[in-house]
Amino acid sequence: MITDVLIVGCGVAGLYCALNLPEDKNITVVTKNEAPKSDSFLAQGGICVLRDETDYDAFYEDTMRAGHYENNPDSVHIMIHSSREIISDLVSFGVRFEKNGESFNYTREGAHSKPRILFHEDETGKEITSHLLESARSRKNITLIENFTMVDLICSDNICNGIVGHDAEGNYISISADYTVLATGGIGGLFKHSTNYRHLTGDALALALKYNIKLQHIDYIQIHPTTLYTEKNGREFLISESVRGEGAILLNSKGERFVNELLPRDVVANAIFDEMKKEGSEHVWLSLSPIPEEEIRTHFPNIYQHCLSEGYDVTKEPIPVVPSQHYFMGGIDVDRYSKTSMDRLYAVGETACNGVHGRNRLASNSLLESLVFAKRAAKHIESNYSKLTPSGEVTFDASQYEGYAEKYKKMVLEAIEKEKNSHE
Ligand SMILES: Cc1cc2nc3c(=O)[nH]c(=O)nc-3n(C[C@H](O)[C@H](O)[C@H](O)COP(=O)(O)OP(=O)(O)OC[C@H]3O[C@@H](n4cnc5c(N)ncnc54)[C@H](O)[C@@H]3O)c2cc1C
């Protein structure tokens, strides 16, 4: 196959990049699973926005403090300054955010000094991503291929010319492109307990390791303090931080509070681990009793229903919660236009690292960051567009990919461990 721009992954980052590329280019988007099976669809809490210029300093400081001041200041600045434009774009795509009359209704999450988060019930990600997906499906220049897994890059002399992948039947094909954008999301599938989809296994990182593409902070992995404790296997169900933002409290087995619930995620998660260790327990408790019942039903209908299906009525009783892997702050190193260290190769969304989040992401900054830097990638490709001289027919031996999934997981986990050890 040949295309102008190839995008791997169709969460918010991949879709928004596709929608911001010129309509006279042929764009192919491939995704490992069905299109709605991305973490973007799972985002509950919301998306941050600069409410007005008077909030700039506080928004900047909250992001930097949560990131332990290891954030890239330039990236943080770009993200905050682009946020209002992104929200208007989303609204023009039909995305609905909660309103109070004509004005937006803002919620708050941990480590935010004030409410600045737009939301749609507790399914903000689904609201945003389904509208982007619908728009992408209706564009004549965008072809979406589902159940297609990237297993390799086509590259030589540090220039990327597309990918090799396979369909659901295991047929391998190459897709050549002038530009390739990696938008493969997080790495939760590498961990036993994670809120992420299991098929998100950091495949782009394995390929970056294979071809010496620069990575950054790959040991910066966020643990979310509150996922519903269950003995079942599979993806962990997130209890959004905005539940604590609206007043929910954490309790130990004696019904005592043991931490300020609105501290940054890493601090709250560590406090929970300490409490579990002290008590020898498998979880702590989260009580939503400070939140009015009506507010629970209208703001958190999805959480309410899910907990009910697991046997807990959050309007009447506390629920067991435990921290789980949630987000990847590190990733493929990119510049302010989302360009990687390989020519004609970009990375956007959770798989990329432009340094916005530092060592710990501030709640609801991820959708925003993914959208801001995906648009910047699209605009950069557009303004620098040149045809890649055809390198002739791409040939490959598919047998080399036998057992690649386990091999790639092992490569990434070993690299993370190595990076971790280098700091100790
Ligand atoms: C439960 C949950 C709640 C969250 N809540 C919030 C929130 O309230 N606010 C916020 O800002 N952030 C939140 N986040 C984080 C945010 O949703 C993600 O960081 C963001 O959506 C990532 O978008 P993405 O486009 O980079 O990746 P994703 O949306 O995960 O998409 C990745 C895509 O890559 C594809 N892919 C992966 N590997 C391959 C491969 N080898 N070949 C082909 N395709 C591949 C996948 O199939 C998928 O289409 C939450 C995350 C989770 C899990």
Side-chain angles (χ1 to χ4, degrees), residues 9-10 13 31-32 39-40 43 45-46 150 184 199 203 327 350 366-367:
C10 74
T31 174
K32 196 171 179 177
D39 274 8
S40 297
M150 166 185 72
T184 51
H199 65 278
D203 301 343
Y327 186 76
E350 197 169 326
S366 168
L367 290 171

Side-chain angles (χ1 to χ4, degrees), residues 241-406:
E241 193 153 353
S242 55
V243 174
R244 279 175 282 129
E246 295 295 334
I249 50 172
L250 285 162
L251 304 170
N252 62 19
S253 61
K254 295 187 213 101
E256 296 158 347
R257 277 180 81 183
F258 55 88
V259 65
N260 170 356
E261 292 80 1
L262 295 182
L263 288 173
R265 286 185 175 169
D266 52 346
V267 182
V268 179
N270 285 336
I272 295 175
F273 281 132
D274 287 348
E275 201 63 22
M276 283 165 51
K277 203 164 153 197
K278 228 190 302 171
E279 299 201 313
S281 58
E282 295 282 307
H283 59 77
V284 294
W285 298 91
L286 183 72
S287 168
L288 278 67
S289 60
I291 313 176
E293 195 171 322
E294 184 53 24
E295 165 81 8
I296 293 177
R297 286 180 203 276
T298 53
H299 191 158
F300 305 112
N302 180 38
I303 292 174
Y304 172 72
Q305 282 303 336
H306 183 90
C307 290
L308 212 54
S309 73
E310 293 285 336
Y312 304 102
D313 182 347
V314 292
T315 64
K316 297 194 169 51
E317 58 192 330
I319 48 172
V321 290
V322 66
S324 292
Q325 190 281 342
H326 181 56
Y327 186 76
F328 185 44
M329 274 80 59
I332 301 177
D333 184 64
V334 289
D335 66 14
R336 61 216 303 260
Y337 303 104
S338 307
K339 222 196 129 293
T340 70
S341 62
M342 180 176 271
D343 257 11
R344 294 177 180 265
L345 181 69
Y346 290 72
V348 293
E350 197 169 326
T351 203
C353 179
N354 53 45
V356 155
H357 307 299
R359 185 140 56 92
N360 177 56
R361 166 171 77 90
L362 179 69
S364 287
N365 261 352
S366 168
L367 290 171
L368 178 61
E369 178 261 320
S370 296
L371 292 161
V372 167
F373 287 90
K375 184 169 182 176
R376 289 176 70 83
K379 297 298 167 200
H380 197 254
I381 292 172
E382 180 179 5
S383 49
N384 293 283
Y385 205 97
S386 65
K387 284 305 275 181
L388 186 57
T389 323
S391 56
E393 199 183 328
V394 179
T395 52
F396 58 88
D397 172 12
S399 70
Q400 66 183 296
Y401 302 123
E402 218 168 281
Y404 76 86
E406 287 314 309

Side-chain angles (χ1 to χ4, degrees), residues 8-14 30-35 37-47 109 124 148-151 183-186 195-196 199-201 203-204 235-236 238 240 326-327 348-351 361 363-368 370:
V8 188
C10 74
V12 280
V30 300
T31 174
K32 196 171 179 177
N33 211 300
E34 288 149 28
K37 298 247 166 74
S38 72
D39 274 8
S40 297
F41 267 81
L42 301 177
Q44 296 179 344
I47 178 168
E109 296 187 61
T124 313
F148 185 92
T149 304
M150 166 185 72
V151 296
T184 51
T195 58
N196 296 185
H199 65 278
L200 301 181
T201 45
D203 301 343
R235 189 166 61 75
E236 311 295 339
L238 183 79
S240 168
H326 181 56
Y327 186 76
V348 293
E350 197 169 326
T351 203
R361 166 171 77 90
S364 287
N365 261 352
S366 168
L367 290 171
L368 178 61
S370 296

Side-chain angles (χ1 to χ4, degrees), residues 47-121:
I47 178 168
C48 292
V49 64
L50 178 67
R51 288 176 65 161
D52 56 53
E53 287 305 321
T54 61
D55 187 34
Y56 179 87
D57 289 346
F59 190 172
Y60 181 87
E61 177 58 21
D62 289 349
T63 301
M64 296 295 286
R65 192 182 324 114
H68 299 267
Y69 299 96
E70 289 188 31
N71 321 53
N72 178 330
D74 199 24
S75 299
V76 178
H77 175 77
I78 291 170
M79 178 186 75
I80 297 176
H81 261 295
S82 314
S83 63
R84 292 158 74 83
E85 170 194 319
I86 294 293
I87 298 302
S88 324
D89 271 11
L90 292 179
V91 170
S92 73
F93 278 112
V95 176
R96 296 155 302 163
F97 294 110
E98 206 71 23
K99 283 189 159 179
N100 245 342
E102 279 308 292
S103 14
F104 285 130
N105 200 356
Y106 299 92
T107 189
R108 185 179 171 189
E109 296 187 61
H112 283 271
S113 55
K114 50 181 85 151
R116 63 168 76 86
I117 299 166
L118 294 171
F119 62 100
H120 178 93
E121 296 178 349

Side-chain angles (χ1 to χ4, degrees), residues 219 413-424:
D219 57 335
L413 283 169
E414 280 175 3
I416 291 172
E417 209 44 44
K418 193 169 160 207
E419 179 83 6
K420 226 189 261 170
N421 293 338
S422 73
H423 299 313
E424 279 162 9

